[in-house]
Amino acid sequence: MARYFDVHPVDPQRRAIGQIVDLVREDGLIAYPTDSLFALGCRLGNAEGLARIREIRRLDDRHHFTLVCRDFAQLGHFVTVSNSLFRTLKAATPGSYTFILPATREVPRRLLQAKKKTVGVRIPDHTVVRALLDELGEPLLSSSLLLPDEPEPLTQGWEIKERLDHQVDAVVDSGDCGTEPTTVIDFSGPEPEIVREGAGDTSLFE
């Protein structure tokens, strides 16, 4: 059964954050809130966790996973960002955006989009997620919690606990989170491509 953590949205309890991060370090899979939707997350090197996310969401090999990063210093270890693009991305973060960028060698091959060698990255604007990332000291390998064949995302922690009780190791609940997925923008080509319009304003990239 999944553990359930009720975490304060403004002042996250340090003990709870530490316990959640311990689960992640022990290769656990968590469901956690973000500034867009709830997400599934695990440690970057957790191959079993990656497989469990694929199974829950029924994802194929073409799916872009996301590295949820604490800040640009961390993000820069995993993707290549030009000086001009850095300024553009900096203006939009933290926020509800996922950026697809060329991956560095720090990213495990199994996470890369096969043809382009790219990966998704984001810096969320959510107090609880930032507390988790501060404590963890590395990105969370993540995917939005969108269940197959479901018309709407799950938005309540208790409901996620009921539905995924035997598929995840912990559910982190801090009250309301977003109801739209992130806006996804692909910067791997000559021009930015808006792959998905979501919670983030696209006018910055048009």
Side-chain angles (χ1 to χ4, degrees), residues 64 101-104 109 112-119:
H64 262 110
L101 291 159
T104 68
R109 185 181 296 272
L112 302 180
Q113 201 280 336
K115 291 183 180 179
K116 290 185 173 183
K117 301 296 188 289
T118 52
V119 69

Side-chain angles (χ1 to χ4, degrees), residues 5-195:
F5 293 91
D6 188 2
V7 180
H8 194 280
V10 177
D11 187 19
Q13 303 94 312
R14 292 184 62 183
R15 184 169 181 269
I17 294 297
Q19 290 174 332
I20 296 162
V21 168
D22 285 345
L23 277 172
V24 172
R25 287 179 177 146
E26 293 164 4
D27 285 345
L29 175 63
I30 65 171
Y32 68 97
T34 77
D35 50 345
S36 55
L37 302 177
F38 269 88
L40 297 167
C42 65
R43 190 174 61 82
L44 182 59
N46 184 353
E48 182 187 353
L50 177 67
R52 290 166 70 187
I53 294 173
R54 287 190 187 279
E55 182 179 357
I56 290 169
R57 291 205 52 200
R58 296 184 202 161
L59 300 173
D60 59 29
D61 292 338
R62 294 172 295 176
H63 180 76
H64 262 110
F65 284 89
T66 300
L67 303 183
V68 178
C69 299
R70 177 181 57 208
D71 51 30
F72 265 95
Q74 192 175 76
L75 182 147
H77 287 293
F78 299 97
V79 291
T80 302
V81 183
S82 67
N83 288 337
S84 59
L85 183 55
F86 175 85
R87 289 190 292 272
T88 301
L89 302 189
K90 188 76 171 174
T93 54
S96 300
Y97 297 94
T98 298
F99 305 116
I100 297 173
L101 291 159
T104 68
R105 293 181 180 179
E106 299 297 319
V107 180
R109 185 181 296 272
R110 62 179 173 272
L111 300 183
L112 302 180
Q113 201 280 336
K115 291 183 180 179
K116 290 185 173 183
K117 301 296 188 289
T118 52
V119 69
V121 289
R122 69 170 301 215
I123 300 173
D125 187 15
H126 193 284
T127 301
V128 173
V129 183
R130 296 176 78 83
L132 290 172
L133 294 171
D134 283 343
E135 182 72 17
L136 183 61
E138 62 177 276
L140 275 168
L141 167 62
S142 292
S143 182
S144 296
L145 208 175
L146 295 165
L147 296 180
D149 305 323
E150 294 279 348
E152 299 292 337
L154 299 176
T155 60
Q156 302 292 326
W158 63 266
E159 185 180 16
I160 293 168
K161 173 81 162 67
E162 283 188 353
R163 295 286 298 276
L164 300 180
D165 201 23
H166 298 287
Q167 293 176 279
V168 300
D169 298 296
V171 175
V172 182
D173 191 355
S174 62
D176 292 341
C177 72
T179 58
E180 283 188 278
T182 57
T183 291
V184 180
I185 304 167
D186 189 344
F187 286 101
S188 63
E191 297 292 334
E193 178 188 355
I194 298 172
V195 178

